[in-house]
Amino acid sequence: MPLIESWVTSANSAETPFPLNNLPYGVFSVGDGPKKLGVAIGDDILDVELVCDAMPVNSDVLRDPRGWNGLMELGSTAWSTFRTALTHLLSANAPARPDALVPQTHATLHMPFTVSEYTDFYSGRHHATNVGTMFRGAENALSPNWLHIPIGYNGRASSVVVSGTDIRRPWGQLKGPNDEAPRWAPSQRFDIELEVGAIVGNASNGPISVDKADVNIFGYVLLNDWSARDIQAWEYQPLGPFQSKATATTIGAWIVTAEALAPFRCDTPTRQKPLLPHLRDTGPMLYNIALSVTLNGEQIAQTNYREMYYSAAQQLAHHTSSGCPMRVGDLLGSGTISGPERENRGSLLELSWGGKDPLMLADGTPRSFIHDGDTLGLHGAAEGDGYRVGFGACFGTVRPALEDPFRG
Ligand code: MN
Protein backbone atom coordinates (compact mmCIF):
# COMPACT_ATOMS: atom_id res chain seq x y z
CA MET A 1 0.00 0.00 0.00
CA PRO A 2 1.43 3.46 -0.93
CA LEU A 3 1.14 6.73 0.99
CA ILE A 4 -2.49 7.86 1.23
CA GLU A 5 -2.73 11.55 0.40
CA SER A 6 -4.37 13.98 2.82
CA TRP A 7 -5.53 17.59 2.59
CA VAL A 8 -3.12 18.15 5.50
CA THR A 9 -0.10 18.74 3.25
CA SER A 10 2.53 18.03 5.97
CA ALA A 11 1.07 14.49 6.17
CA ASN A 12 2.08 13.78 2.56
CA SER A 13 5.84 13.74 3.10
CA ALA A 14 7.79 10.47 3.07
CA GLU A 15 9.49 11.55 6.31
CA THR A 16 6.53 12.41 8.54
CA PRO A 17 5.87 9.79 11.22
CA PHE A 18 2.16 10.64 10.98
CA PRO A 19 0.82 10.22 7.42
CA LEU A 20 -2.83 9.32 6.79
CA ASN A 21 -1.73 5.66 6.83
CA ASN A 22 -0.96 5.99 10.57
CA LEU A 23 -3.60 8.01 12.50
CA PRO A 24 -2.26 7.42 16.04
CA TYR A 25 -4.41 8.33 19.03
CA GLY A 26 -3.33 10.70 21.79
CA VAL A 27 -4.56 13.19 24.39
CA PHE A 28 -3.48 16.83 24.24
CA SER A 29 -4.09 20.25 25.72
CA VAL A 30 -3.25 23.76 24.62
CA GLY A 31 -2.19 26.33 27.22
CA ASP A 32 -4.46 26.06 30.24
CA GLY A 33 -7.18 24.40 28.18
CA PRO A 34 -8.79 21.03 28.92
CA LYS A 35 -7.41 17.65 27.92
CA LYS A 36 -8.82 16.56 24.56
CA LEU A 37 -8.65 13.46 22.39
CA GLY A 38 -6.62 13.97 19.25
CA VAL A 39 -5.24 12.16 16.23
CA ALA A 40 -1.77 13.02 14.89
CA ILE A 41 -1.74 13.95 11.21
CA GLY A 42 1.45 15.40 9.70
CA ASP A 43 2.61 18.31 11.88
CA ASP A 44 -0.86 18.75 13.40
CA ILE A 45 -3.34 17.13 15.74
CA LEU A 46 -6.95 16.64 14.71
CA ASP A 47 -9.25 17.66 17.61
CA VAL A 48 -11.78 14.83 17.25
CA GLU A 49 -14.42 16.52 19.37
CA LEU A 50 -14.68 19.23 16.70
CA VAL A 51 -15.50 16.66 14.01
CA CYS A 52 -17.73 14.43 16.13
CA ASP A 53 -20.66 14.93 13.73
CA ALA A 54 -18.69 13.01 11.09
CA MET A 55 -17.68 10.20 13.47
CA PRO A 56 -19.67 6.96 13.79
CA VAL A 57 -19.54 6.92 17.61
CA ASN A 58 -21.40 8.67 20.41
CA SER A 59 -19.73 12.04 21.09
CA ASP A 60 -19.27 11.03 24.78
CA VAL A 61 -16.60 8.59 23.57
CA LEU A 62 -14.68 11.52 22.08
CA ARG A 63 -14.87 13.41 25.39
CA ASP A 64 -13.85 10.47 27.61
CA PRO A 65 -11.79 11.89 30.51
CA ARG A 66 -9.95 8.56 30.68
CA GLY A 67 -8.59 9.02 27.13
CA TRP A 68 -9.21 6.42 24.41
CA ASN A 69 -10.63 3.75 26.76
CA GLY A 70 -14.18 4.59 25.64
CA LEU A 71 -13.46 3.82 21.99
CA MET A 72 -11.72 0.59 23.00
CA GLU A 73 -14.79 -0.47 25.00
CA LEU A 74 -16.93 -0.34 21.83
CA GLY A 75 -15.03 -3.36 20.44
CA SER A 76 -12.98 -4.28 17.39
CA THR A 77 -15.64 -3.56 14.76
CA ALA A 78 -16.13 -0.01 16.06
CA TRP A 79 -12.35 0.56 16.10
CA SER A 80 -12.27 -0.23 12.40
CA THR A 81 -15.36 1.83 11.50
CA PHE A 82 -13.97 4.81 13.42
CA ARG A 83 -10.61 4.58 11.64
CA THR A 84 -12.33 4.37 8.24
CA ALA A 85 -14.34 7.51 9.02
CA LEU A 86 -11.17 9.35 10.09
CA THR A 87 -9.43 8.27 6.89
CA HIS A 88 -12.31 9.65 4.78
CA LEU A 89 -12.43 12.90 6.73
CA LEU A 90 -8.70 13.57 6.29
CA SER A 91 -8.24 12.25 2.74
CA ALA A 92 -7.14 14.59 -0.06
CA ASN A 93 -10.55 14.62 -1.76
CA ALA A 94 -12.50 15.53 1.41
CA PRO A 95 -13.28 19.17 2.27
CA ALA A 96 -10.45 20.67 4.34
CA ARG A 97 -11.22 21.37 8.01
CA PRO A 98 -8.24 23.48 9.16
CA ASP A 99 -10.42 24.78 12.02
CA ALA A 100 -10.19 21.30 13.64
CA LEU A 101 -6.37 21.21 13.59
CA VAL A 102 -3.90 22.21 16.31
CA PRO A 103 -0.16 22.44 15.51
CA GLN A 104 1.72 19.82 17.51
CA THR A 105 4.22 22.48 18.57
CA HIS A 106 1.39 24.28 20.44
CA ALA A 107 0.19 21.18 22.29
CA THR A 108 1.13 19.38 25.51
CA LEU A 109 0.66 15.62 25.35
CA HIS A 110 -0.85 13.55 28.17
CA MET A 111 -1.47 9.86 28.92
CA PRO A 112 -3.34 8.58 25.84
CA PHE A 113 -5.42 6.11 27.86
CA THR A 114 -5.95 5.08 31.45
CA VAL A 115 -3.86 2.01 32.23
CA SER A 116 -6.00 -0.63 33.98
CA GLU A 117 -3.19 -2.98 34.91
CA TYR A 118 0.38 -3.40 33.76
CA THR A 119 2.30 -6.59 33.07
CA ASP A 120 5.88 -6.73 31.85
CA PHE A 121 7.29 -9.66 29.91
CA TYR A 122 10.82 -10.87 29.25
CA SER A 123 10.40 -12.17 25.72
CA GLY A 124 13.44 -10.81 23.90
CA ARG A 125 15.81 -13.71 23.44
CA HIS A 126 19.00 -11.71 22.99
CA HIS A 127 18.19 -9.64 26.09
CA ALA A 128 17.33 -12.67 28.22
CA THR A 129 20.51 -14.42 27.10
CA ASN A 130 22.68 -11.35 27.80
CA VAL A 131 21.19 -10.64 31.23
CA GLY A 132 21.11 -14.33 32.19
CA THR A 133 24.79 -14.64 31.27
CA MET A 134 25.70 -11.63 33.41
CA PHE A 135 23.58 -12.63 36.42
CA ARG A 136 24.00 -16.44 36.38
CA GLY A 137 26.70 -17.39 33.86
CA ALA A 138 26.48 -18.50 30.24
CA GLU A 139 25.48 -22.07 31.12
CA ASN A 140 22.36 -20.96 33.01
CA ALA A 141 21.53 -17.90 30.90
CA LEU A 142 18.09 -19.08 29.73
CA SER A 143 16.04 -20.84 32.40
CA PRO A 144 14.52 -24.17 31.25
CA ASN A 145 11.03 -22.64 30.93
CA TRP A 146 12.09 -19.70 28.72
CA LEU A 147 11.65 -21.45 25.35
CA HIS A 148 8.17 -22.68 26.37
CA ILE A 149 6.38 -19.71 27.97
CA PRO A 150 6.63 -15.93 27.78
CA ILE A 151 8.06 -15.13 31.26
CA GLY A 152 6.46 -12.11 32.91
CA TYR A 153 5.66 -10.35 36.17
CA ASN A 154 2.78 -8.19 37.32
CA GLY A 155 3.84 -4.54 37.41
CA ARG A 156 2.07 -1.45 38.71
CA ALA A 157 -0.37 0.59 36.61
CA SER A 158 0.21 3.42 39.12
CA SER A 159 3.81 3.78 37.95
CA VAL A 160 3.08 4.31 34.25
CA VAL A 161 3.71 7.88 33.04
CA VAL A 162 3.65 9.60 29.68
CA SER A 163 6.65 10.63 27.61
CA GLY A 164 8.18 13.90 28.83
CA THR A 165 7.63 13.18 32.53
CA ASP A 166 10.78 13.67 34.64
CA ILE A 167 12.02 10.53 36.42
CA ARG A 168 13.45 10.74 39.95
CA ARG A 169 16.44 8.49 40.64
CA PRO A 170 15.24 5.97 43.25
CA TRP A 171 16.71 4.96 46.59
CA GLY A 172 16.86 1.28 47.42
CA GLN A 173 18.62 -1.64 49.06
CA LEU A 174 21.67 -2.19 46.91
CA LYS A 175 23.49 -5.46 46.69
CA GLY A 176 26.88 -5.45 48.40
CA PRO A 177 29.88 -7.11 46.75
CA ASN A 178 30.01 -10.90 47.12
CA ASP A 179 26.62 -11.06 48.90
CA GLU A 180 27.85 -8.97 51.83
CA ALA A 181 25.32 -6.82 53.71
CA PRO A 182 23.32 -4.51 51.44
CA ARG A 183 23.32 -0.73 51.83
CA TRP A 184 20.58 1.90 51.53
CA ALA A 185 21.49 4.46 48.88
CA PRO A 186 20.35 6.04 45.62
CA SER A 187 20.62 3.55 42.76
CA GLN A 188 24.01 3.80 41.04
CA ARG A 189 23.03 1.52 38.17
CA PHE A 190 19.85 3.16 36.90
CA ASP A 191 18.92 1.98 33.41
CA ILE A 192 16.37 1.90 30.62
CA GLU A 193 14.66 -0.96 28.83
CA LEU A 194 13.61 -0.43 25.20
CA GLU A 195 10.22 -2.11 24.85
CA VAL A 196 6.97 -1.95 22.93
CA GLY A 197 3.73 -2.03 24.95
CA ALA A 198 0.60 -3.77 23.66
CA ILE A 199 -2.77 -2.35 24.79
CA VAL A 200 -5.63 -4.78 25.43
CA GLY A 201 -8.79 -3.32 23.89
CA ASN A 202 -11.28 -6.18 24.42
CA ALA A 203 -11.86 -7.58 27.90
CA SER A 204 -11.78 -11.35 28.41
CA ASN A 205 -12.69 -13.61 31.29
CA GLY A 206 -10.96 -16.94 30.93
CA PRO A 207 -8.42 -18.53 28.62
CA ILE A 208 -8.32 -17.22 25.04
CA SER A 209 -6.54 -18.52 21.95
CA VAL A 210 -3.61 -16.81 20.26
CA ASP A 211 -5.94 -15.83 17.38
CA LYS A 212 -8.46 -14.27 19.77
CA ALA A 213 -5.67 -12.53 21.67
CA ASP A 214 -4.40 -11.00 18.43
CA VAL A 215 -7.87 -9.56 17.70
CA ASN A 216 -8.09 -8.18 21.26
CA ILE A 217 -4.99 -5.99 20.96
CA PHE A 218 -6.05 -2.42 20.16
CA GLY A 219 -2.65 -0.92 19.51
CA TYR A 220 0.93 -0.38 20.54
CA VAL A 221 3.05 2.28 22.27
CA LEU A 222 6.77 2.68 22.85
CA LEU A 223 7.59 1.73 26.44
CA ASN A 224 10.62 2.42 28.64
CA ASP A 225 10.78 0.13 31.68
CA TRP A 226 13.17 2.16 33.88
CA SER A 227 15.21 -0.37 35.89
CA ALA A 228 17.52 0.00 38.90
CA ARG A 229 19.97 -2.84 38.27
CA ASP A 230 21.61 -2.73 41.70
CA ILE A 231 18.22 -2.97 43.44
CA GLN A 232 17.17 -5.69 40.98
CA ALA A 233 20.29 -7.84 41.50
CA TRP A 234 19.60 -8.04 45.25
CA GLU A 235 15.80 -8.48 45.25
CA TYR A 236 14.96 -10.58 42.19
CA GLN A 237 15.28 -14.08 43.61
CA PRO A 238 13.02 -16.01 43.98
CA LEU A 239 9.97 -13.95 42.95
CA GLY A 240 11.34 -11.61 40.29
CA PRO A 241 11.67 -7.83 40.02
CA PHE A 242 9.84 -5.58 42.49
CA GLN A 243 11.15 -2.16 43.63
CA SER A 244 13.76 -2.12 40.86
CA LYS A 245 10.95 -1.67 38.33
CA ALA A 246 8.43 0.28 40.40
CA THR A 247 9.81 3.84 40.13
CA ALA A 248 8.32 4.56 36.72
CA THR A 249 7.53 3.13 33.32
CA THR A 250 7.28 5.70 30.52
CA ILE A 251 5.01 5.17 27.52
CA GLY A 252 4.91 7.12 24.28
CA ALA A 253 2.11 9.65 23.87
CA TRP A 254 0.73 8.13 20.66
CA ILE A 255 -1.12 4.80 20.36
CA VAL A 256 -0.36 3.29 16.96
CA THR A 257 -3.26 0.98 16.17
CA ALA A 258 -2.89 -2.66 15.19
CA GLU A 259 -4.74 -1.73 11.99
CA ALA A 260 -2.13 0.88 11.03
CA LEU A 261 0.60 -1.71 11.62
CA ALA A 262 -1.12 -4.48 9.63
CA PRO A 263 1.08 -4.00 6.49
CA PHE A 264 4.16 -4.62 8.65
CA ARG A 265 3.20 -7.99 10.16
CA CYS A 266 5.93 -10.62 10.23
CA ASP A 267 6.60 -14.03 11.74
CA THR A 268 8.34 -14.74 15.02
CA PRO A 269 11.87 -16.17 14.70
CA THR A 270 12.35 -19.92 14.16
CA ARG A 271 11.28 -21.89 17.23
CA GLN A 272 14.19 -23.62 18.89
CA LYS A 273 11.79 -26.01 20.63
CA PRO A 274 8.17 -26.61 19.59
CA LEU A 275 5.66 -24.68 21.69
CA LEU A 276 2.71 -26.43 23.29
CA PRO A 277 -0.27 -26.25 20.90
CA HIS A 278 -2.14 -23.42 22.66
CA LEU A 279 0.83 -21.05 22.28
CA ARG A 280 1.81 -21.91 18.71
CA ASP A 281 1.96 -19.24 16.02
CA THR A 282 -1.09 -19.26 13.77
CA GLY A 283 0.04 -16.42 11.51
CA PRO A 284 2.38 -13.44 11.37
CA MET A 285 1.70 -11.58 14.64
CA LEU A 286 4.94 -9.70 15.16
CA TYR A 287 5.68 -6.41 13.40
CA ASN A 288 8.67 -5.05 11.50
CA ILE A 289 9.26 -1.84 13.47
CA ALA A 290 12.70 -0.20 13.46
CA LEU A 291 13.58 0.96 17.00
CA SER A 292 16.37 3.07 18.44
CA VAL A 293 17.61 4.58 21.71
CA THR A 294 19.13 8.03 22.17
CA LEU A 295 21.12 9.36 25.14
CA ASN A 296 21.06 13.18 25.20
CA GLY A 297 20.25 13.09 21.49
CA GLU A 298 23.04 10.67 20.49
CA GLN A 299 21.90 7.31 19.12
CA ILE A 300 23.36 4.51 21.25
CA ALA A 301 21.39 1.48 20.00
CA GLN A 302 19.09 0.37 17.19
CA THR A 303 17.10 -2.83 16.86
CA ASN A 304 13.74 -4.10 15.61
CA TYR A 305 10.53 -5.35 17.24
CA ARG A 306 10.69 -8.45 15.01
CA GLU A 307 13.55 -9.70 17.24
CA MET A 308 10.95 -10.71 19.87
CA TYR A 309 10.71 -14.48 20.46
CA TYR A 310 7.02 -14.26 21.45
CA SER A 311 4.39 -11.97 19.92
CA ALA A 312 2.09 -9.84 22.08
CA ALA A 313 -0.73 -12.20 21.05
CA GLN A 314 1.20 -15.17 22.48
CA GLN A 315 1.92 -13.19 25.65
CA LEU A 316 -1.75 -12.28 26.03
CA ALA A 317 -2.94 -15.85 25.37
CA HIS A 318 -0.47 -17.13 27.98
CA HIS A 319 -1.56 -14.38 30.42
CA THR A 320 -5.16 -15.63 30.25
CA SER A 321 -4.28 -19.35 30.32
CA SER A 322 -4.90 -19.72 34.07
CA GLY A 323 -8.24 -17.94 33.76
CA CYS A 324 -6.80 -14.50 34.55
CA PRO A 325 -9.39 -11.88 33.50
CA MET A 326 -8.09 -9.10 31.27
CA ARG A 327 -9.52 -5.59 31.22
CA VAL A 328 -9.81 -2.91 28.58
CA GLY A 329 -6.73 -0.73 29.04
CA ASP A 330 -4.39 -3.48 30.28
CA LEU A 331 -0.83 -2.77 29.18
CA LEU A 332 1.62 -5.56 28.30
CA GLY A 333 5.32 -4.66 28.02
CA SER A 334 7.15 -6.79 25.47
CA GLY A 335 10.38 -7.21 27.40
CA THR A 336 13.61 -5.53 26.38
CA ILE A 337 14.22 -5.78 22.65
CA SER A 338 17.87 -6.41 21.81
CA GLY A 339 19.40 -7.90 18.68
CA PRO A 340 22.38 -10.11 17.89
CA GLU A 341 25.07 -7.39 17.82
CA ARG A 342 26.39 -5.05 20.49
CA GLU A 343 24.82 -1.98 18.82
CA ASN A 344 21.43 -3.73 18.95
CA ARG A 345 21.24 -3.90 22.75
CA GLY A 346 18.16 -2.28 24.28
CA SER A 347 19.53 -1.51 27.77
CA LEU A 348 22.65 0.13 29.19
CA LEU A 349 23.20 -3.01 31.29
CA GLU A 350 23.83 -4.89 28.06
CA LEU A 351 25.49 -2.03 26.15
CA SER A 352 28.11 -1.68 28.94
CA TRP A 353 28.08 -5.39 29.87
CA GLY A 354 27.22 -4.63 33.47
CA GLY A 355 29.70 -1.74 33.58
CA LYS A 356 32.66 -3.98 32.69
CA ASP A 357 32.92 -2.73 29.10
CA PRO A 358 31.49 0.80 29.01
CA LEU A 359 29.89 2.30 25.97
CA MET A 360 32.07 4.98 24.33
CA LEU A 361 30.07 8.13 23.60
CA ALA A 362 30.78 10.39 20.61
CA ASP A 363 32.61 12.90 22.84
CA GLY A 364 35.02 10.16 23.92
CA THR A 365 33.66 9.63 27.43
CA PRO A 366 32.91 6.10 28.63
CA ARG A 367 29.40 5.46 29.91
CA SER A 368 27.85 2.54 31.80
CA PHE A 369 24.59 3.76 33.41
CA ILE A 370 22.37 6.86 33.57
CA HIS A 371 23.75 10.11 35.01
CA ASP A 372 21.55 12.76 36.63
CA GLY A 373 20.26 15.12 33.96
CA ASP A 374 20.44 12.56 31.15
CA THR A 375 17.54 12.48 28.72
CA LEU A 376 16.83 9.03 27.32
CA GLY A 377 14.70 8.68 24.21
CA LEU A 378 13.09 5.72 22.47
CA HIS A 379 12.12 5.99 18.82
CA GLY A 380 10.22 3.67 16.51
CA ALA A 381 8.78 3.57 13.00
CA ALA A 382 7.62 0.96 10.52
CA GLU A 383 9.03 1.80 7.09
CA GLY A 384 6.55 1.53 4.22
CA ASP A 385 6.98 2.18 0.50
CA GLY A 386 7.30 5.98 0.42
CA TYR A 387 5.85 6.50 3.89
CA ARG A 388 6.48 5.59 7.51
CA VAL A 389 4.25 4.73 10.44
CA GLY A 390 5.97 6.37 13.42
CA PHE A 391 5.35 6.32 17.15
CA GLY A 392 6.73 9.77 18.08
CA ALA A 393 9.54 9.90 20.64
CA CYS A 394 9.20 8.41 24.13
CA PHE A 395 11.56 10.33 26.37
CA GLY A 396 12.31 11.07 30.00
CA THR A 397 14.95 13.04 31.89
CA VAL A 398 16.44 11.58 35.07
CA ARG A 399 16.57 13.97 38.03
CA PRO A 400 18.86 13.56 41.08
CA ALA A 401 17.70 11.42 43.99
CA LEU A 402 16.00 13.33 46.81
CA GLU A 403 17.59 13.54 50.27
CA ASP A 404 17.30 10.23 52.15
CA PRO A 405 13.49 9.86 52.38
CA PHE A 406 13.74 7.96 55.73
CA ARG A 407 16.10 10.30 57.57
CA GLY A 408 13.99 12.16 60.08
MN1 MN B 1 11.15 -4.82 31.25
Side-chain angles (χ1 to χ4, degrees):
M1 184 196 286
L3 177 106
I4 311 169
E5 299 256 336
S6 170
W7 52 261
V8 182
T9 50
S10 61
N12 299 332
S13 123
E15 280 77 46
T16 180
F18 306 128
L20 189 48
N21 306 58
N22 189 351
L23 300 178
Y25 301 147
V27 171
F28 73 99
S29 62
V30 177
D32 296 330
K35 291 182 186 175
K36 310 197 79 179
L37 273 62
V39 177
I41 180 77
D43 296 338
D44 294 314
I45 300 171
L46 176 75
D47 180 336
V48 291
E49 194 182 334
L50 298 183
V51 296
C52 64
D53 288 351
M55 293 291 111
V57 296
N58 189 303
S59 61
D60 290 349
V61 168
L62 305 180
R63 284 192 278 264
D64 189 338
R66 299 170 301 170
W68 289 88
N69 299 62
L71 178 68
M72 292 190 232
E73 284 166 355
L74 297 179
S76 317
T77 306
W79 309 343
S80 192
T81 312
F82 183 78
R83 178 177 165 81
T84 301
L86 273 178
T87 305
H88 286 150
L89 185 87
L90 289 163
S91 71
N93 51 17
R97 286 288 310 272
D99 58 297
L101 299 181
V102 173
Q104 282 170 34
T105 51
H106 293 189
T108 302
L109 300 176
H110 305 277
M111 281 290 287
F113 69 107
T114 299
V115 179
S116 301
E117 303 200 38
Y118 167 50
T119 304
D120 195 35
F121 286 90
Y122 185 61
S123 295
R125 180 154 188 190
H126 298 288
H127 172 73
T129 303
N130 288 339
V131 173
T133 301
M134 276 182 263
F135 279 38
R136 291 180 296 278
E139 258 114 82
N140 303 309
L142 283 189
S143 50
N145 52 8
W146 200 94
L147 293 168
H148 300 280
I149 47 173
I151 307 288
Y153 65 93
N154 289 307
R156 297 280 304 176
S158 62
S159 68
V160 182
V161 298
V162 73
S163 173
T165 306
D166 281 353
I167 306 299
R168 182 68 66 180
R169 180 183 297 274
W171 284 71
Q173 263 200 36
L174 313 187
K175 186 182 186 180
N178 307 315
D179 288 333
E180 287 163 26
R183 60 204 173 90
W184 171 247
S187 170
Q188 298 303 301
R189 291 160 73 93
F190 199 50
D191 196 1
I192 55 153
E193 292 195 337
L194 165 61
E195 304 193 25
V196 168
I199 302 162
V200 176
N202 288 322
S204 57
N205 194 2
I208 60 172
S209 67
V210 170
D211 283 328
K212 178 67 177 150
D214 184 56
V215 169
N216 284 2
I217 296 170
F218 177 73
Y220 295 83
V221 285
L222 293 175
L223 186 149
N224 182 355
D225 175 22
W226 301 94
S227 300
R229 301 301 180 189
D230 35 14
I231 300 175
Q232 183 179 359
W234 177 242
E235 74 175 1
Y236 87 104
Q237 287 179 319
L239 288 184
F242 188 48
Q243 292 307 291
S244 55
K245 306 278 193 170
T247 300
T249 296
T250 302
I251 61 168
W254 296 108
I255 303 170
V256 177
T257 61
E259 264 192 276
L261 291 168
F264 307 99
R265 280 180 176 260
C266 61
D267 290 316
T268 52
T270 309
R271 305 287 96 181
Q272 185 178 326
K273 292 188 177 171
L275 295 171
L276 289 175
H278 71 284
L279 289 179
R280 273 179 205 157
D281 292 281
T282 54
M285 292 181 188
L286 268 187
Y287 297 94
N288 182 348
I289 302 169
L291 301 166
S292 63
V293 181
T294 53
L295 170 63
N296 300 326
E298 175 182 344
Q299 182 172 302
I300 57 170
Q302 41 90 17
T303 180
N304 194 296
Y305 183 58
R306 72 179 164 219
E307 297 285 355
M308 299 300 306
Y309 193 78
Y310 297 101
S311 66
Q314 287 170 316
Q315 293 174 330
L316 177 53
H318 175 61
H319 207 321
T320 66
S321 61
S322 61
C324 178
M326 301 303 294
R327 297 182 189 164
V328 173
D330 278 358
L331 176 65
L332 311 183
S334 59
T336 309
I337 307 162
S338 294
E341 306 299 333
R342 177 171 178 164
E343 63 267 25
N344 306 138
R345 296 173 184 166
S347 67
L348 287 165
L349 176 72
E350 296 166 87
L351 286 164
S352 72
W353 207 255
K356 291 192 174 76
D357 184 13
L359 186 68
M360 205 54 75
L361 298 179
D363 66 2
T365 58
R367 177 57 78 88
S368 294
F369 292 98
I370 297 173
H371 292 178
D372 291 341
D374 281 348
T375 297
L376 278 300
L378 309 184
H379 313 266
E383 303 286 345
D385 183 10
Y387 73 99
R388 49 210 312 254
V389 170
F391 284 74
C394 171
F395 65 93
T397 300
V398 173
R399 300 300 176 194
L402 297 171
E403 292 298 304
D404 185 344
F406 295 129
R407 208 176 63 184

Coordinates of all heavy atoms in Angstrom, one line a residue, residues 99 113-114 131 235 241 243 301 310 324 355 369:
D99 N -9.9 24.3 10.7 CA -10.4 24.8 12.0 C -10.3 23.7 13.1 O -10.4 24.0 14.3 CB -11.9 25.2 11.9 CG -12.8 24.1 11.4 OD1 -12.5 23.6 10.2 OD2 -13.7 23.6 12.1
F113 N -4.3 6.9 27.3 CA -5.4 6.1 27.9 C -5.1 5.9 29.3 O -4.0 6.1 29.8 CB -5.5 4.8 27.1 CG -4.4 3.8 27.3 CD1 -4.6 2.7 28.1 CD2 -3.1 4.1 26.8 CE1 -3.5 1.8 28.3 CE2 -2.1 3.2 27.0 CZ -2.3 2.0 27.8
T114 N -6.1 5.4 30.0 CA -6.0 5.1 31.5 C -5.5 3.6 31.5 O -6.3 2.7 31.0 CB -7.2 5.4 32.2 OG1 -7.5 6.8 32.1 CG2 -7.1 5.0 33.7
V131 N 21.4 -10.9 29.8 CA 21.2 -10.6 31.2 C 21.4 -11.9 32.0 O 22.1 -11.9 33.1 CB 19.8 -10.1 31.5 CG1 19.5 -10.0 33.0 CG2 19.6 -8.7 30.9
E235 N 17.2 -8.1 44.9 CA 15.8 -8.5 45.2 C 15.2 -9.6 44.4 O 14.1 -10.1 44.7 CB 14.9 -7.2 45.2 CG 14.6 -6.8 43.7 CD 13.6 -5.7 43.6 OE1 13.1 -5.1 44.6 OE2 13.3 -5.3 42.5
P241 N 11.5 -9.2 39.7 CA 11.7 -7.8 40.0 C 10.5 -7.2 40.8 O 9.4 -7.6 40.7 CB 11.8 -7.2 38.6 CG 11.3 -8.2 37.7 CD 11.3 -9.5 38.3
Q243 N 10.9 -3.6 43.5 CA 11.2 -2.2 43.6 C 12.1 -1.7 42.5 O 12.0 -0.5 42.2 CB 11.7 -1.8 45.0 CG 10.7 -2.0 46.1 CD 9.5 -1.3 45.9 OE1 9.4 0.0 45.9 NE2 8.4 -2.0 45.6
A301 N 21.8 2.9 20.3 CA 21.4 1.5 20.0 C 20.3 1.5 19.0 O 19.5 2.5 18.9 CB 20.9 0.7 21.2
Y310 N 8.5 -14.1 21.3 CA 7.0 -14.3 21.4 C 6.3 -13.0 21.0 O 6.8 -11.9 21.3 CB 6.6 -14.6 22.9 CG 7.2 -15.8 23.5 CD1 8.3 -15.8 24.3 CD2 6.6 -17.1 23.2 CE1 8.8 -17.0 24.8 CE2 7.1 -18.3 23.7 CZ 8.2 -18.2 24.5 OH 8.7 -19.4 25.0
C324 N -7.0 -15.9 34.1 CA -6.8 -14.5 34.5 C -7.7 -13.6 33.7 O -7.5 -13.6 32.5 CB -5.3 -14.1 34.4 SG -5.0 -12.4 34.8
G355 N 28.7 -2.7 33.1 CA 29.7 -1.7 33.6 C 31.1 -2.2 33.3 O 32.1 -1.4 33.5
F369 N 26.0 3.6 33.0 CA 24.6 3.8 33.4 C 24.2 5.2 33.3 O 25.0 6.1 32.9 CB 24.4 3.2 34.8 CG 24.5 1.7 34.8 CD1 25.7 1.1 35.2 CD2 23.5 0.8 34.4 CE1 25.9 -0.3 35.2 CE2 23.7 -0.6 34.3 CZ 24.9 -1.1 34.7

